[in-house]
């Protein structure tokens, strides 16, 4: 048996509203930017569907039947609901949001983001809550399956459809406590290699780009410990004579909140005299969220926190 919706045509509701409002085929046609002949055919179709004449002649005018009178307000309401349904959402009022966002980030990125995001939420979107999820061991399907709203960090394992936006480019510095032997004087490759290091790797790796750069000078370093997160590595460096790598702003660039935790722990950040590759921090999201006003607010807030000097003057992809 056919569904009652199999021949549903929303245009008929729009035409019915125009005809019952104008009570004239000519005026209804003008209202809908069509011809009187086309509107006359639509009226004939409405009469067949509703099994009622709807509009009948009364001298030079047309008057509605009782059925048409009964349908007038309902037809107008249906058209208003259709218009609301099919109109772009436009700008949202962050103050009306009631939403919990899940952001996947490393411990360092989460610590750098959380204070600024929470402050923005308090001022602009008090109904927004933030859940920071630890990075997955491998690039998981969290964005695709909806468990994660936004991934922030070094984006290198996304699905093909994922949207990615670069946020900030950083350089690596050597973080040491104030009393560390390297803290005074100019850091050299040999001095850096001679120190004990703590490495950060979710996969437990002892080597990285710094080892490649040192090897170019015939040097190697000793990594005594590998930790899964930057904050633990910084805490270890703050408590003893080990070196950890800390991301910092590029030379002549504004400070980045990604260094705030190191400064709070009292670490000195030393320029590394080796050509290390820059670190790009970006954010990734599934395209289902691109046009969502609430998600647009979240992405804008992340930009303002991580690149406060440029977020207000550089247009960013939405």
């Amino acid at each position: 048996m056919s569904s009652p919706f199999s021949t549903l045509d929303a245009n008929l509701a729009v035409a019915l509203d125009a005809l019952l409002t104008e009570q004239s085929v000519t005026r209804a046609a003008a209202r809908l930017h069509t011809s009187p002949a086309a509107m006359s055919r639509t009226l004939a179709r409405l009469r067949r569907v509703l099994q009622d004449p709807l509009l009948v002649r009364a001298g030079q005018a047309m008057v509605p039947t009782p059925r048409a009178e009964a349908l007038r307000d309902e037809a107008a309401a249906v058209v208003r609901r259709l218009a609301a349904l099919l109109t772009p959402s436009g700008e949202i009022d962050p103050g009306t949001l009631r939403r919990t966002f899940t952001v996947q980030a490393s411990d360092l990125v989460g610590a750098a983001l959380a204070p600024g995001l929470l402050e923005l939420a308090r001022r602009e979107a008090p109904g927004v809550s933030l859940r920071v999820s630890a990075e997955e061991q491998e690039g998981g399907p969290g964005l695709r399956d909806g468990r994660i709203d936004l991934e922030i960090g070094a984006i290198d394992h996304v699905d093909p459809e994922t949207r990615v936006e670069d946020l900030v480019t950083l350089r690596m510095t050597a973080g040491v406590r104030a009393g560390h032997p390297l803290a005074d004087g100019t850091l050299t490759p040999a001095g850096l290699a001679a120190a004990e290091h703590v490495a950060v790797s979710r996969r437990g790796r002892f080597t990285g780009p710094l080892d490649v750069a040192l090897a170019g000078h015939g040097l190697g370093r000793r990594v005594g410990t590998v930790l899964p997160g930057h904050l633990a590595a910084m805490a270890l460096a703050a408590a003893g004579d080990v070196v950890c790598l800390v991301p910092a702003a590029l030379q002549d660039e504004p400070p980045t909140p990604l260094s705030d935790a190191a400064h709070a722990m009292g670490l000195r950040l030393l320029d590394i005299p080796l050509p290390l590759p820059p670190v790009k921090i970006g954010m990734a999201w599934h395209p289902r969220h691109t046009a969502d006003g609430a998600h647009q607010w979240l992405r804008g807030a992340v930009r303002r926190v991580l690149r406060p000097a440029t977020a207000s003057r550089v247009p960013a992809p939405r």
Side-chain angles (χ1 to χ4, degrees):
M1 187 171 70
S2 63
S3 164
F5 298 104
S6 60
T7 58
L8 184 64
D9 184 351
N11 289 322
L12 286 179
V14 176
L16 178 63
D17 175 50
L19 285 163
L20 297 186
T21 300
E22 301 294 341
Q23 297 185 21
S24 163
V25 169
T26 302
R27 290 195 299 271
R31 177 172 172 171
L32 298 184
H33 306 289
T34 188
S35 68
M39 184 55 68
S40 182
R41 289 193 295 271
T42 301
L43 176 58
R45 185 179 173 193
L46 282 165
R47 285 167 169 167
R48 289 195 301 272
V49 169
L50 296 174
Q51 299 182 11
D52 188 273
L54 298 175
L55 295 173
V56 296
R57 283 284 173 191
Q60 297 299 312
M62 299 189 79
V63 296
T65 64
R67 177 77 191 282
E69 290 281 10
L71 290 174
R72 190 201 309 268
D73 290 344
E74 186 176 352
V78 167
V79 170
R80 285 195 299 270
R81 289 196 294 270
L82 281 171
L85 177 66
L86 300 177
T87 298
S89 59
E91 296 296 325
I92 62 146
D93 177 5
T96 65
L97 291 178
R98 298 293 180 270
R99 187 125 160 215
T100 296
F101 290 111
T102 299
V103 175
Q104 179 174 290
S106 69
D107 61 344
L108 181 62
V109 174
L113 272 173
L117 282 181
L118 290 176
E119 177 59 27
L120 285 174
R122 285 190 202 101
R123 293 202 318 259
E124 301 175 9
V128 164
S129 300
L130 183 67
R131 178 190 297 116
V132 179
S133 172
E135 293 179 300
E136 298 184 1
Q137 184 66 21
E138 300 291 341
L143 292 173
R144 176 179 281 178
D145 64 23
R147 288 183 294 110
I148 297 166
D149 294 296
L150 197 63
E151 180 178 353
I152 305 172
I155 310 297
D156 57 3
H157 52 252
V158 295
D159 295 314
E161 73 273 16
T162 301
R163 304 291 178 88
V164 179
E165 178 186 333
D166 289 337
L167 292 169
V168 63
T169 300
L170 307 169
R171 63 191 172 97
M172 279 301 184
T173 63
V176 297
R177 69 179 182 87
H180 192 284
L182 294 179
D184 296 321
T186 302
L187 184 63
T188 65
L192 186 60
E196 182 177 355
H197 291 251
V198 54
V200 176
S201 171
R202 288 180 292 128
R203 298 172 178 83
R205 295 173 180 166
F206 280 78
T207 59
L210 178 56
D211 299 280
V212 174
L214 287 170
H217 287 71
L219 299 169
R221 63 171 178 157
R222 179 179 182 274
V223 176
T225 265
V226 178
L227 295 173
H230 284 87
L231 295 182
M234 291 177 187
L236 189 61
D241 287 344
V242 296
V243 179
C244 69
L245 294 180
V246 178
L250 298 177
Q251 296 286 0
D252 302 322
E253 289 289 327
T256 170
L258 289 160
S259 302
D260 287 353
H263 293 309
M265 293 182 191
L267 293 179
R268 296 272 304 277
L269 304 186
L270 311 177
D271 291 334
I272 296 176
L274 294 166
L276 297 181
V279 177
K280 288 186 179 294
I281 301 297
M283 60 180 170
W285 66 93
H286 193 273
R288 71 163 71 89
H289 295 307
T290 297
D292 175 46
H295 203 277
Q296 288 176 356
W297 177 87
L298 173 66
R299 300 197 302 271
V302 169
R303 292 184 197 108
R304 285 185 280 165
V305 171
L306 286 187
R307 54 183 194 199
T310 58
S312 61
R313 53 188 173 86
V314 177
R318 295 171 73 93

